[in-house]
């Protein structure tokens, strides 16, 4: 047996299993990589929303990162919910020590999660500045949604042209690449995710499915990109692979509970065919 590529998610737990590190781990598995975790927070969460958050001590978060990377080794890492300025500072320090991000050679995807899809806060307001100064400059790629764009830049994006302005403004905070996700561009009949490297834009356009079950879509996209990076893909190819993965995962989304269900990589598993809408797998 050979050891597969390894990835790390530094993220919070979603007890409902739709988003957070649960979404990341199942995406890693479906992408054929071994996923590891540094847990930042335990949320009390279901399909209706978040009713509690218990954060993990920052030094325990940092210790998980160091423990995993120094023994198991990872070829790419990502962040999800980081919750507080103190956890962000601890993550930045740990990443520098083990070579994650631009200080080292392990690609680092920063998904700057600020709220759940129900609008429940997952980040202290005081931590916005920590993202801008401590994580964006260390990131290979940042993947904000349009609500996060507004929080970090003050820009209100309602058109594809404004998506470009937002990418430029975020690039000034120091990441190597910016992916401005267009899932929340409600008037757009398609979903355009816009990649920018400081000089060139690359557009990734996919269908917009008429479903309310999109819990975990941002996490699933960032994890599938991270998996492709761990396998050695360059950033453009990794985002292309991630976009293809999320399109099929939104197509395969299913209801759970009384609220919003998850996007899902079940479409990768032959045994799951009976749960999928007929015709939901293409290619
Ligand atoms: N209805 C949809 N149909 C197809 N793709 C979608 C849909 N909604 C979102 N996506 C895609 O899912 C990914 C995540 O996008 P989005 O902008 O919703 O991020 P997010 O808000 O971080 O996600 P989350 O729902 O996890 O908070 C993007 O690739 C986006 O294009
Ligand atoms: C723990 C956690 N991380 C991320 C998100 C955003 O999808 C969520 N709802 N919960």
């Amino acid at each position: 047996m050979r050891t597969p590529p390894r990835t790390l998610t530094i993220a919070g737990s979603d007890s409902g299993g739709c988003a957070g590190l649960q979404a990341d781990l199942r995406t890693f598995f479906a992408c054929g990589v071994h996923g590891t975790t540094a847990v930042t927070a335990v949320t009390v969460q279901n399909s209706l929303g978040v009713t509690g958050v218990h954060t993990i001590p920052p030094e325990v978060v940092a210790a998980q990162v160091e423990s995993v990377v120094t023994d198991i080794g990872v070829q790419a890492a990502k962040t999800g919910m980081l919750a507080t300025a103190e956890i962000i500072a601890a993550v930045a320090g740990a990443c520098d020590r083990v070579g994650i991000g631009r200080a080292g050679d392990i690609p680092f995807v920063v998904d700057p999660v600020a709220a759940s899809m129900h609008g429940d806060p997952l980040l202290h307001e005081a931590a916005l500045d920590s993202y801008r100064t401590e994580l964006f400059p260390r990131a290979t790629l940042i993947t904000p949604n349009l609500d996060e764009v507004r929080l970090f830049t003050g820009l209100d994006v309602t058109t594809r042209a404004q998506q470009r302005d937002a990418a430029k403004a975020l690039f000034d905070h120091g990441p190597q690449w910016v992916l401005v996700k267009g899932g929340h561009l409600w008037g757009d009949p398609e979903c355009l995710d816009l990649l920018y490297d400081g000089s060139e834009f690359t557009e990734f356009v996919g269908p917009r499915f008429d479903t309310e079950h999109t819990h975990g879509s941002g996490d699933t996209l960032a994890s599938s990109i991270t998996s492709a990076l761990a396998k050695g893909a360059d950033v453009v190819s990794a985002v292309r692979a991630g976009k293809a993965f999320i399109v099929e995962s939104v197509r395969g989304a299913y209801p759970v509970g009384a609220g919003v269900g998850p996007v899902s990589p079940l479409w990768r598993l032959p045994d799951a065919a009976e749960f999928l809408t007929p015709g939901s797998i293409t290619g």
Side-chain angles (χ1 to χ4, degrees):
M1 283 291 231
R2 283 193 304 128
T3 306
R6 278 85 65 209
T7 50
L8 166 66
T9 181
I10 307 169
S13 163
D14 166 8
S15 49
C18 294
L21 66 86
Q22 287 82 359
D24 294 340
L25 278 181
R26 72 170 157 261
T27 301
F28 290 154
F29 183 76
C31 290
V33 303
H34 175 86
T36 66
T37 56
V39 185
T40 58
V42 172
T43 70
V44 181
Q45 187 170 175
N46 60 23
S47 72
L48 298 170
V50 180
T51 53
V53 172
H54 177 84
T55 57
I56 304 298
E59 63 276 14
V60 178
V61 177
Q64 293 173 81
V65 172
E66 294 184 47
S67 169
V68 164
V69 178
T70 54
D71 170 40
I72 292 170
V74 302
Q75 287 72 49
K78 75 169 280 279
T79 63
M81 173 188 183
L82 296 179
T84 68
E86 292 73 20
I87 292 178
I88 291 175
V91 167
C95 286
D96 284 356
R97 286 192 290 281
V98 298
I100 292 174
R102 298 179 71 179
D105 53 12
I106 301 171
F108 188 32
V109 177
V110 172
D111 184 18
V113 172
S116 78
M117 69 167 312
H118 303 90
D120 302 310
L122 298 175
L123 181 72
H124 289 182
E125 221 174 300
L128 288 178
D129 231 31
S130 310
Y131 262 109
R132 279 185 289 251
T133 58
E134 299 197 59
L135 281 190
F136 291 172
R138 287 178 164 82
T140 309
L141 171 70
I142 65 171
T143 61
N145 67 24
L146 297 186
D147 297 318
E148 290 148 6
V149 165
R150 192 176 316 110
L151 283 174
F152 289 112
T153 67
L155 295 172
D156 204 5
V157 173
T158 56
T159 65
R160 288 187 177 191
Q162 289 168 341
Q163 238 176 313
R164 293 192 170 217
D165 298 335
K168 286 181 180 169
L170 286 159
F171 184 81
D172 289 342
H173 291 294
Q176 220 170 340
W177 298 77
V178 178
L179 184 71
V180 178
K181 296 177 292 191
H184 299 193
L185 203 57
W186 305 117
D188 197 318
E190 296 171 309
C191 285
L192 165 67
D193 300 332
L194 181 70
L195 184 66
Y196 183 59
D197 68 352
S199 62
E200 269 185 55
F201 290 103
T202 311
E203 296 188 345
F204 298 90
V205 181
R208 177 178 295 276
F209 295 111
D210 185 15
T211 174
E212 58 180 308
H213 304 302
T214 58
H215 204 179
S217 58
D219 317 66
T220 299
L221 175 66
S223 303
S224 53
I225 293 171
T226 304
S227 301
L229 291 170
K231 293 175 182 172
D234 59 53
V235 171
V236 175
S237 309
V239 174
R240 187 175 300 117
K243 181 68 176 176
F245 191 89
I246 189 64
V247 166
E248 294 311 314
S249 299
V250 180
R251 201 197 299 272
Y254 52 80
V256 292
V260 179
V263 305
S264 165
L266 273 185
W267 53 273
R268 282 270 169 126
L269 303 179
D271 283 358
E274 64 187 288
F275 298 115
L276 298 169
T277 319
S280 68
I281 300 178
T282 56

